[in-house]
Amino acid sequence: MRTSEQTFPADFTFGVATSAYQVEGGIENDWAEWERAGRLKEPHARCGRAVDHWNRYEEDYRLATAVGATAFRISLEWARIEPERGRFDEAALEGYRERLLKMKAHGLTPVVTLHHFTHPTWFHRETPWHSAQSVEVFRRYSRRCAALLEGLDARVITFNEPMVLLLGGYLQGAIPPGIADGALTMKALENLVRSHVVARRELGEKLGRVETGISQNMLAFAPDRWWNPLDRALVRLGGQAYNHAFHEALSTGKLRVNMPGVATARVDIPEARDSAEFVGVNYYSRAHLRFVPRPPFIEFKYRDTQGRGLTDIGWEDWPEGFLQTLRDVKRYGKPVWITENGIDDRTGTRRPKYLHTHLAQVLAARAEGVDVQGYLYWSLLDNFEWLEGWGPRFGLYHVDFDTLERKPTPACDYFRQVATGRKLVAPL
Ligand code: BGC
């Protein structure tokens, strides 16, 4: 590698990522209901006060700057902002604005997600994503969000991982709203694309040009049996649907999903054409797909193909797939932001190496001409990990879930070294 390829330019952004429900605490929404219904892996687990970021935000901004971060990704909690349909909570809006102003004062550029998996409790009952009204409801919410972002120069992510929401919430029924229906999934997908478009329009009207995009969970896919044509077809069709259908709709205005027997969509949404300023990539791992002769026809597994050991949550550590993913999004011709990348490492010992190997792929992609402009580590802090509850630890900072004390893991030093020195050196 040439030296220039070992170096991040001065305008490359290093930052950290969080989401409201996972860190703030004290939120009543569809996930809180899901927990009370005993739907987590550990039926008694509760998010509750999370890691109290709502009160400890200033401490957390300091922790972020201490590792050299200059950007901080949060999400706005819709349930706080619009607890009843059509009633907006001014105190919550003001609360977010205050926090974002403080964030800026700490030298952190806000990256703001409007929707990160959670909904107000009324949403699924009154205007679920498969209903046409969902688009108008999201437009109104976005309008309020736009007003609170005035003058902040925030980068905006309308939806975090819409395909994860749809796969988990509409196809498998494992997360709220717990629907398992291929046709409704596709209707919901279409409305999410439309909602992105109207939200971006509201942001633009209020704020002028705003860098707006989505964060897409992107997996490197491989056939479980390399020689099996059905496994290979799944990789092709599944990879296209999961990784690209949404990005592609925002680029071309054509929404295409072709998963025979599972879900299909063929809708033209001309107003979605060229409706993102950047491509947001959340990359974690590789998955092997295997055809099984009964619905849903797909078996999905993580395998430790390299003997590196699965991560603690059970995912393959596969930095090579990061480069493949970044090459793959070059087709959209837009700047790329890594809006999440990270490891569940409960002892904190593997994270520096994970960072090193994954950042090396970012440099390799840049050397190939992929315009990657920023890297946000998931996550600043250990936090509430959805169905997995309190087991996983993705944080640069370890959080004692009893005392809520934050303590640096060994990756903090390493992250600071790279973010401030701009050189990718191997961890000690
Ligand atoms: C999500 C985060 C989650 C992380 C680790 C992403 O899918 O956006 O909310 O905590 O991955 O699972």
Side-chain angles (χ1 to χ4, degrees):
M1 246 192 214
R2 282 178 291 128
T3 344
S4 63
E5 290 164 354
Q6 305 271 20
T7 307
F8 291 95
D11 61 356
F12 186 90
T13 302
F14 282 95
V16 290
T18 62
S19 93
Y21 190 64
Q22 294 177 271
V23 297
E24 284 181 2
I27 294 170
E28 174 56 22
N29 61 14
D30 57 341
W31 266 84
E33 282 184 338
W34 201 249
E35 291 159 25
R36 288 195 294 271
R39 303 294 298 268
L40 303 190
K41 287 210 171 132
E42 211 291 58
H44 300 292
R46 299 285 183 269
C47 178
R49 64 179 178 167
V51 292
D52 196 31
H53 173 72
W54 187 251
N55 296 309
R56 294 170 199 236
Y57 57 95
E58 284 217 77
E59 177 187 351
D60 294 343
Y61 299 157
R62 279 194 289 274
L63 297 180
T65 54
V67 296
T70 58
F72 196 116
R73 178 177 172 210
I74 61 158
S75 70
L76 303 177
E77 181 63 37
W78 190 356
R80 269 193 204 282
I81 294 179
E82 193 179 357
E84 289 160 40
R85 181 145 74 109
R87 183 175 73 75
F88 290 89
D89 185 326
E90 296 303 330
L93 288 161
E94 205 29 59
Y96 276 122
R97 187 161 171 85
E98 234 176 82
R99 283 163 179 77
L100 286 164
L101 285 168
K102 289 245 169 73
M103 184 189 282
K104 274 198 84 110
H106 279 265
L108 295 161
T109 300
V111 179
V112 178
T113 311
L114 305 187
H115 182 281
H116 195 121
F117 294 156
T118 58
H119 305 82
T121 50
W122 51 265
F123 180 79
H124 304 300
R125 288 190 276 274
E126 299 178 26
T127 59
W129 288 117
H130 53 275
S131 75
Q133 302 101 287
S134 58
V135 181
E136 170 58 15
V137 164
F138 193 74
R139 187 194 63 73
R140 268 195 343 220
Y141 162 65
S142 307
R143 197 175 173 76
R144 292 306 186 106
C145 297
L148 97 84
L149 295 178
E150 211 154 359
L152 289 169
D153 283 326
R155 179 172 293 275
V156 178
I157 294 163
T158 52
F159 289 101
N160 178 69
E161 302 190 348
M163 300 312 278
V164 172
L165 171 71
L166 292 172
L167 191 66
Y170 274 82
L171 204 57
Q172 299 173 331
I175 65 172
I179 292 171
D181 182 312
L184 293 186
T185 305
M186 292 299 100
K187 199 64 214 158
L189 168 59
E190 180 188 335
N191 287 332
L192 285 169
V193 171
R194 294 187 188 281
S195 297
H196 165 85
V197 173
V198 297
R200 178 167 169 273
R201 197 174 299 143
E202 290 294 343
L203 290 158
E205 268 171 26
K206 191 86 200 160
L207 307 168
R209 186 185 155 90
V210 190
E211 300 287 313
T212 308
I214 60 150
S215 281
Q216 179 80 326
N217 182 281
M218 300 189 77
L219 280 156
F221 288 109
D224 195 37
R225 298 159 294 189
W226 64 266
W227 45 267
N228 185 298
L230 292 169
D231 291 5
R232 295 164 81 105
L234 275 184
V235 167
R236 202 164 25 82
L237 300 176
Q240 164 64 23
Y242 186 85
N243 287 334
H244 291 288
F246 213 105
H247 281 319
E248 207 171 80
L250 303 193
S251 173
T252 63
K254 293 178 195 308
L255 178 61
R256 301 285 186 268
V257 173
N258 181 23
M259 298 286 293
V262 183
T264 56
R266 200 181 169 78
V267 191
D268 290 350
I269 310 174
E271 59 277 25
R273 199 167 163 259
D274 199 15
S275 67
E277 278 67 38
F278 65 93
V279 173
V281 173
N282 294 355
Y283 177 79
Y284 288 93
S285 187
R286 165 164 77 168
H288 285 81
L289 300 182
R290 186 185 189 95
F291 175 81
V292 287
R294 58 187 175 279
F297 308 110
I298 307 175
E299 215 173 77
F300 174 105
K301 9 178 160 159
Y302 294 106
R303 287 178 18 192
D304 180 19
T305 58
Q306 308 298 308
R308 292 173 185 147
L310 295 175
T311 68
D312 289 338
I313 203 169
W315 300 347
E316 184 178 11
D317 179 357
W318 182 246
E320 294 83 349
F322 202 6
L323 176 57
Q324 178 187 324
T325 301
L326 293 172
R327 273 185 191 138
D328 248 26
V329 295
K330 201 176 166 188
R331 66 175 89 164
Y332 301 114
K334 296 281 174 188
V336 176
W337 277 69
I338 312 306
T339 42
E340 290 182 27
N341 173 241
I343 179 172
D344 169 20
D345 171 21
R346 300 180 197 181
T347 60
T349 49
R350 290 178 68 175
R351 191 168 294 108
K353 177 143 186 249
Y354 181 95
L355 272 169
H356 178 232
T357 52
H358 285 74
L359 287 170
Q361 306 295 329
V362 173
L363 285 177
R366 284 180 52 90
E368 289 184 17
V370 187
D371 184 17
V372 188
Q373 298 188 345
Y375 175 93
L376 309 180
Y377 179 78
W378 181 273
S379 178
L380 173 69
L381 304 164
D382 291 338
N383 58 47
F384 177 77
E385 179 57 32
W386 308 114
L387 290 177
E388 305 282 333
W390 292 106
R393 292 184 174 275
F394 282 88
L396 282 177
Y397 287 89
H398 175 278
V399 179
D400 178 322
F401 294 134
D402 294 320
T403 63
L404 299 178
E405 190 190 348
R406 283 96 157 116
K407 276 211 183 113
T409 68
C412 283
D413 269 344
Y414 182 66
F415 190 91
R416 186 193 320 110
Q417 198 184 345
V418 180
T420 57
R422 306 268 132 188
K423 259 209 165 80
L424 189 66
V425 285
L428 292 174

